[in-house]
Amino acid sequence: MPELNHTQLANLAQEVRQRLELSQAKCAAELEVSFQGVNCWGNGRTNPLSRALKSIEYQWHQVGTGEDLCVKYFAE
């Protein structure tokens, strides 16, 4: 699996959040992280910690979407 740069990770985090129809505040609450953290991910200033990435992945699979995002971000 290729490693994502800040911009790609920011775009992925935004797309997943938008598909789940979560505001940044709601996303932060569901992932048990700060609003500032989610905001920084979306702006590409920081990357989510591995714990948050696992939570994002879990939520993503819960709604049954994301195959196209896997291809877009993780295709080799």
Side-chain angles (χ1 to χ4, degrees):
M1 176 185 326
E3 189 170 319
L4 299 178
N5 65 39
H6 280 300
T7 302
Q8 291 170 316
L9 194 50
N11 291 339
L12 176 60
Q14 283 182 340
E15 286 190 61
V16 171
R17 186 178 58 75
Q18 289 170 351
R19 286 195 186 188
L20 295 174
E21 298 180 356
L22 296 174
S23 66
Q24 288 184 343
K26 179 72 174 169
C27 182
E30 292 211 10
L31 296 175
E32 298 179 354
V33 298
S34 70
F35 168 83
Q36 292 83 3
V38 172
N39 184 268
C40 287
W41 304 340
N43 292 323
R45 291 185 297 223
T46 62
N47 289 340
L49 298 174
S50 61
R51 180 180 66 91
L53 282 173
K54 287 181 186 188
S55 293
I56 290 169
E57 181 182 6
Y58 174 77
Q59 287 183 343
W60 185 358
H61 289 293
Q62 288 293 97
V63 297
T65 70
E67 287 80 22
D68 62 316
L69 293 180
C70 283
V71 170
K72 183 176 180 179
Y73 291 100
F74 301 108
E76 298 183 285

